[in-house]
Amino acid sequence: MKNTFSIGGVHPNDSKISADCAIEVLPAPKTVYISMAQHLGGPAKAIVAPGDKVKTGQVIGEPTAFISAYVHSSVSGTVKSVGLRKDLAGIPVIHVEIDVEGDEWMEGIDTSDRLVTEIPQDKSFIIDRIKNNGVVGLGGATFPTNVKLCPPPDKKAEVLILNGAECEPYLTSDYRIMLEKSEQIVIGAALMKKVLGVERTVIGIEENKPKAIEAMKKAVSSLKAVSGDYSGIEVMTLKKKYPQGGEKQLIDAVMHRQVRSMGLPIDVGAVVQNVATSLAVYDAVQKNRPIVDNTVTVTGDCFSRQSNLLVRVGTPVSYIIDYLGGVPEKAVKVVSGGPMMGKAIANLDAATLKGTSSVLFLTEEQTKRKPQSNCIRCGKCADACPMGLEPFLLNKLAKNGMMDELEANAVQDCIECGCCLYSCPANIPLLDVIRLAKGDVIRIIRSRTAPKK
């Protein structure tokens, strides 16, 4: 029996229509716009000014807090401006605008295809490389990886879990790197395993990706023959069920442990990283290569040119779309991410981030909401919720502004996966209401613990 999480879940159509599209390198645009706020925590501080010459891989933004990250130029050229520009969500944040002039890389970055399998024994060297090269989680949250790999002294990691589930419909970028960069991903896992000091590493992949499972198993086997540093790494086949790739759901599937309310994976001995993050760790440590590009799926049922593109960070979405032939006629919405958890792109001239995984075109039929009717208390939303919540109740409490009751019923634990909305026969916008209520409750919780001025 395939491993899976024990609470809730739904089974949307895979729609992996771009799965057979090999990764294609997208030519760099004439201008990139690199955000200083493309990671969780404090935004980076721009350290370049208009007129400065920069090289690919050069630091242009320094972290401003414990949870923050370095930002690097994804191109070589001249800084044109440093200032506010709207991001994918339409929020004004500081961007560094760079006019592209050639592609000259910083000294010390290995741009060759040579595979480096030897694992450094100095843990601090590994962590420093990860930090200095701006590696963040590429599974959605973009949490700085160096921080995640250094749990507090009173917490001990037991298992490193690599998320290769890619359970969100349409997305295939992780799938393609598991096929095309499998050895690098396993080496990245061994590097993180070394830092954490764990004996066991599990790469979890859903059963609907047999080629990826085979490729990753082959990579693990071949690297184990090279060095003992790769012992304890295994590939686990997971049942196809959404949201299998959710951090807490993945821990449940692999370790059969539940993370408590408002808890962290490390509380149960787990550290979870995405396979794309593992590839970035390989590049950072073994090649001294920062995150300057990432694989982006461009897809949609109404789109004729399915693609997985290697895109420079800071590339305008409009440039990607134009390269592939323009917005399809039937598309009415463009989404960054998948249909379940992705966010509508407010401005197509906004630029990609380190964590951008997909540009998805949706039609009116796919996006138009059906007429809403009254809740019939069927409980389907509660059955589907992978966090064991009662969305029908949270919806009622939120509409009545009952903050204490919302907190008591753990609205703060919602992972915004959309299972409740997907399963509701009354077409009630449960996710919309609960997401807003969750934000309000979390602000109240944080205000209690914030230091008084």
Side-chain angles (χ1 to χ4, degrees):
M1 186 175 179
K2 307 292 192 305
N3 283 37
T4 191
F5 53 98
S6 57
I7 303 172
V10 294
H11 295 86
N13 186 10
D14 286 352
S15 299
K16 305 287 189 180
I17 52 180
S18 57
D20 293 332
C21 300
I23 298 171
E24 176 187 350
V25 177
L26 177 72
K30 293 181 179 179
T31 306
V32 296
Y33 306 87
I34 302 176
S35 171
M36 295 293 105
Q38 51 181 316
H39 49 261
L40 198 65
K45 179 183 178 182
I47 59 170
V48 291
D52 287 351
K53 296 288 186 180
V54 296
K55 297 179 181 179
T56 306
Q58 179 177 331
V59 175
I60 60 172
E62 293 183 339
T64 58
F66 176 67
I67 299 178
S68 188
Y70 283 98
V71 176
H72 301 75
S73 177
S74 62
V75 296
S76 62
T78 303
V79 176
K80 186 176 181 181
S81 69
V82 179
L84 290 174
R85 181 180 172 86
K86 290 183 179 179
D87 65 8
L88 294 169
I91 300 171
V93 298
I94 297 294
H95 285 71
V96 173
E97 179 184 4
I98 303 171
D99 285 338
V100 180
E101 300 162 359
D103 194 20
E104 184 181 357
W105 287 67
M106 283 291 291
E107 296 77 8
I109 297 175
D110 182 357
T111 59
S112 73
D113 293 331
R114 181 177 64 92
L115 189 70
V116 182
T117 60
E118 184 177 351
I119 303 298
Q121 298 304 302
D122 186 348
K123 296 180 182 180
S124 61
F125 171 83
I126 298 174
I127 284 293
D128 287 345
R129 280 269 173 114
I130 292 171
K131 178 181 179 181
N132 294 336
N133 283 301
V135 180
V136 298
L138 300 179
T142 59
F143 191 89
T145 302
N146 62 291
V147 177
K148 201 171 188 180
L149 292 176
C150 296
D154 61 333
K155 306 286 185 182
K156 180 172 175 55
E158 298 176 35
V159 180
L160 169 65
I161 303 174
L162 255 59
N163 176 13
E166 199 167 44
C167 58
E168 180 90 44
Y170 290 98
L171 273 58
T172 58
S173 55
D174 284 352
Y175 174 72
R176 290 310 312 182
I177 65 169
M178 285 190 286
L179 291 183
E180 301 180 38
K181 299 285 185 179
S182 51
E183 289 181 310
Q184 291 90 332
I185 293 170
V186 176
I187 296 169
L191 290 163
M192 292 187 283
K193 175 175 173 285
K194 180 72 176 180
V195 170
L196 292 168
V198 297
E199 295 296 326
R200 187 184 181 207
T201 297
V202 178
I203 305 169
I205 308 173
E206 279 193 323
E207 61 188 336
N208 62 340
K209 304 172 183 67
K211 290 182 180 179
I213 293 169
E214 180 183 358
M216 294 303 296
K217 284 184 175 180
K218 182 179 178 181
V220 170
S221 178
S222 64
L223 287 165
K224 281 182 178 179
V226 171
S227 169
D229 288 319
Y230 299 96
S231 63
I233 301 177
E234 63 181 280
V235 176
M236 179 181 289
T237 301
L238 304 172
K239 185 177 180 181
K240 177 191 169 302
K241 184 167 67 166
Y242 178 85
Q244 190 73 259
E247 195 170 53
K248 294 179 180 180
Q249 286 65 46
L250 201 52
I251 292 168
D252 185 7
V254 172
M255 299 177 68
H256 308 296
R257 295 180 185 179
Q258 300 283 337
V259 180
R260 61 178 171 78
S261 177
M262 293 294 283
L264 297 172
I266 194 63
D267 295 335
V268 296
V271 173
V272 181
Q273 301 282 9
N274 186 266
V275 289
T277 310
S278 191
L279 175 58
V281 166
Y282 167 83
D283 285 336
V285 179
Q286 307 295 71
K287 300 286 191 171
N288 197 27
R289 187 183 193 276
I291 296 183
V292 297
D293 52 25
N294 60 323
T295 304
V296 178
T297 300
V298 187
T299 185
D301 293 314
C302 61
F303 191 54
S304 61
R305 193 172 169 185
Q306 306 297 318
S307 300
N308 291 291
L309 301 176
L310 189 63
V311 178
R312 300 287 180 116
V313 172
T315 297
V317 173
S318 57
Y319 174 81
I320 300 172
I321 295 173
D322 289 344
Y323 176 80
L324 295 173
V327 177
E329 184 179 347
K330 292 185 178 180
V332 298
K333 181 178 285 189
V334 185
V335 173
S336 176
M340 299 295 284
M341 296 187 72
K343 302 292 192 298
I345 298 176
N347 173 21
L348 292 182
D349 288 329
T352 62
L353 308 171
K354 294 179 184 180
T356 301
S357 61
S358 172
V359 175
L360 171 64
F361 298 103
L362 297 175
T363 65
E364 182 176 4
E365 183 181 359
Q366 291 173 311
T367 58
K368 188 175 182 180
R369 298 218 169 160
K370 296 177 182 178
Q372 180 181 334
S373 57
N374 293 328
C375 175
I376 59 173
R377 307 295 192 275
C378 65
K380 287 186 177 180
C381 60
D383 289 340
C385 179
M387 295 302 296
L389 307 179
E390 296 178 311
F392 65 88
L393 175 60
L394 298 177
N395 178 60
K396 181 178 179 180
L397 296 174
K399 287 187 173 180
N400 286 282
M402 303 172 73
M403 294 295 121
D404 290 343
E405 290 80 0
L406 280 164
E407 182 180 350
N409 284 277
V411 70
Q412 61 273 14
D413 286 347
C414 171
I415 61 172
E416 304 179 26
C417 63
C419 287
C420 56
L421 178 61
Y422 180 85
S423 60
C424 179
N427 303 309
I428 299 170
L430 295 167
L431 176 60
D432 301 16
V433 175
I434 293 170
R435 177 185 282 145
L436 292 172
K438 171 189 171 183
D440 291 338
V441 168
I442 287 178
R443 280 189 286 273
I444 292 170
I445 293 172
R446 287 175 178 167
S447 69
R448 294 192 205 119
T449 56
K452 295 182 178 179
K453 296 182 180 179

